[in-house]
């Protein structure tokens, strides 16, 4: 657990603090099954300027954490970032208390301790690098600051457009063989539509919906093209292709 104090003014310089203004996941352990680490943010100062946003969730989940306000998210799996609301200013620095909770299957205390240890160790290591590059003074500090920002940006773009969980699903389906791979990846986008449109509460996480639906529809169309294109005979089939 820790106290975080937001920098004063708009974000301009490339330093480690810039990652908070860039969509990011806090931890790297998205692949640990059956357990999650949740980070809770509790506002301890008045705040009208800094907004916490969640890329893949519904926009109603974005929050401006005022004093005693609370928001929590998955430390390793949920994209989030902060920005400034135009026209709003704070009289003092926005400060939040970061609280952490490990959730794991009942009785799996050894596994919960392992998850807690891994995430605590990573957070300590990452915080040390952030502090070293908060005010970069030399070439090494500037390179590290850029490296932190670039890796954060790449991971965010990958998670926002493809998703690590989808990679695991696709690879698992591929390992099952050609026919299971075809079936498991050709119709999944329809299941995504059905499972999403069947509910109205909570609000639809539009980012997850669009990401997963586009990915698996693209894979389905790739399967279709792979099987149909070898059957096309040019130039005789040009009218049929254009009609399709």
């Amino acid at each position: 657990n820790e106290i975080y104090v937001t920098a004063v003014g708009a974000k301009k310089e490339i330093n480690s603090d810039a990652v908070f203004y860039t969509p990011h996941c806090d931890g790297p352990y998205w692949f640990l099954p059956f357990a999650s680490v949740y980070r809770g943010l509790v506002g301890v100062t008045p705040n009208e300027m800094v907004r916490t946003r969640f890329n893949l969730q519904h926009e109603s989940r974005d929050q401006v954490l005022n004093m005693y306000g609370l928001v929590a998210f998955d430390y390793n799996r949920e994209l989030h970032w902060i920005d400034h609301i135009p026209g709003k200013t704070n009289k003092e620095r926005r400060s939040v208390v970061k609280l952490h909770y490990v959730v794991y299957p009942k009785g799996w205390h050894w596994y919960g301790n392992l998850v807690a240890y891994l995430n605590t160790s990573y957070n300590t290591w990452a915080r040390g690098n952030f502090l070293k590059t908060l005010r970069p003074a030399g070439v090494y500090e500037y390179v590290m600051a850029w490296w932190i920002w670039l890796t954060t940006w790449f991971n965010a773009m990958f998670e926002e457009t493809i998703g690590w969980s989808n990679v695991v699903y696709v690879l698992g389906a591929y390992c099952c063989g050609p026919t299971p791979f075809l079936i498991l990846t050709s119709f999944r986008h329809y299941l995504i539509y059905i499972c999403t449109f069947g509910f109205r509460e909570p609000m639809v996480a539009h980012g997850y919906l669009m990401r997963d639906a586009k990915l698996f529809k693209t894979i389905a169309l790739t399967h279709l093209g792979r099987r149909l294109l070898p059957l096309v005979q040019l130039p005789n089939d040009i009218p049929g292709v254009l009609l399709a």
Side-chain angles (χ1 to χ4, degrees), residues 1-14:
N1 300 329
E2 57 189 356
I3 296 177
Y4 172 70
V5 181
T6 303
V8 176
K11 186 271 299 182
K12 296 179 181 179
E13 298 82 4
I14 290 294

Side-chain angles (χ1 to χ4, degrees), residues 81-92:
W81 57 301
I82 60 175
D83 68 355
H84 293 176
I85 297 179
K88 295 290 185 178
T89 57
N90 286 341
K91 295 181 180 179
E92 57 182 300

Side-chain angles (χ1 to χ4, degrees), residues 6 16 28 32 41 50 69 76 90 92 95 103 105 125 129 135 137 153 167 174 179 186 192 211 215 234 238 244:
T6 303
S16 61
L32 292 177
L41 305 180
V50 181
N76 294 293
N90 286 341
E92 57 182 300
S95 301
V103 179
W125 173 82
N129 285 332
R135 293 183 176 88
W153 177 84
V167 172
Y174 182 80
T179 301
S186 290
I192 292 171
R211 181 195 73 181
L215 173 65
L234 298 177
I238 289 180

Side-chain angles (χ1 to χ4, degrees), residues 27-94:
Y29 298 112
W30 57 269
F31 53 85
L32 292 177
F34 312 122
S36 292
V37 174
Y38 289 95
R39 166 171 278 180
L41 305 180
V42 182
V44 294
T45 57
N47 170 52
E48 296 181 351
M49 179 181 72
V50 181
R51 173 174 50 190
T52 305
R53 312 191 70 176
F54 300 92
N55 301 50
L56 299 177
Q57 296 288 355
H58 189 270
E59 60 183 11
S60 63
R61 302 305 182 196
D62 298 344
Q63 293 195 34
V64 179
L65 278 181
N66 213 327
M67 186 177 292
Y68 309 130
L70 170 66
V71 64
F73 50 87
D74 193 309
Y75 181 82
N76 294 293
R77 300 183 178 96
E78 195 155 3
L79 281 175
H80 62 283
W81 57 301
I82 60 175
D83 68 355
H84 293 176
I85 297 179
K88 295 290 185 178
T89 57
N90 286 341
K91 295 181 180 179
E92 57 182 300
R93 293 190 180 190
R94 171 213 185 227

